[in-house]
Amino acid sequence: MELLQVERIGVVGMVRPQSRVRGLIDLSTLPEVDQRQVDALFRTDPLASPYDAVAGVRYQLTRNTGYGTETVVAPEAAVPATVAACVIEEAAS
């Protein structure tokens, strides 16, 4: 099981101040096409891609591999909908 930590960066809709919008998803539960898309985000610089990042909403994706922890920040349009759907709002502690 390979877990992907997902955190939305930027404001969308009604989010309480000081809250975090994040989630956790098992990559093996994703459709194969979405798994490949996530892998591609870690292999390239998604912010250098033609995706429209002007809206300011991005996702920080973090996974643990045999080589350590990897983190990438990608514009919303580059992240599969199945991954983006796993985030929920958490009150700040």
Side-chain angles (χ1 to χ4, degrees), residues 68-90:
T69 301
E70 297 178 322
T71 299
V72 67
V73 176
E76 184 175 33
V79 176
T82 52
V83 173
C86 82
V87 299
I88 57 172
E89 183 180 356
E90 298 176 349

Side-chain angles (χ1 to χ4, degrees), residues 4-15:
L4 182 69
Q5 297 173 4
V6 183
E7 183 168 357
R8 187 169 59 213
I9 302 168
V11 178
V12 174
M14 301 292 291
V15 177

Side-chain angles (χ1 to χ4, degrees), residues 6 12 32 36 41 44 56 62 64 70 72 75 81 85:
V6 183
V12 174
E32 190 173 320
R36 286 194 306 264
L41 291 172
T44 62
T62 303
N64 291 316
E70 297 178 322
V72 67

Side-chain angles (χ1 to χ4, degrees), residues 39-73:
D39 284 338
L41 291 172
F42 283 95
R43 287 193 311 272
T44 62
D45 179 2
L47 296 180
S49 72
Y51 292 108
D52 180 14
V54 174
V57 176
R58 296 189 168 114
Y59 285 85
Q60 178 176 296
L61 309 175
T62 303
R63 67 182 180 181
N64 291 316
T65 69
Y67 301 105
T69 301
E70 297 178 322
T71 299
V72 67
V73 176

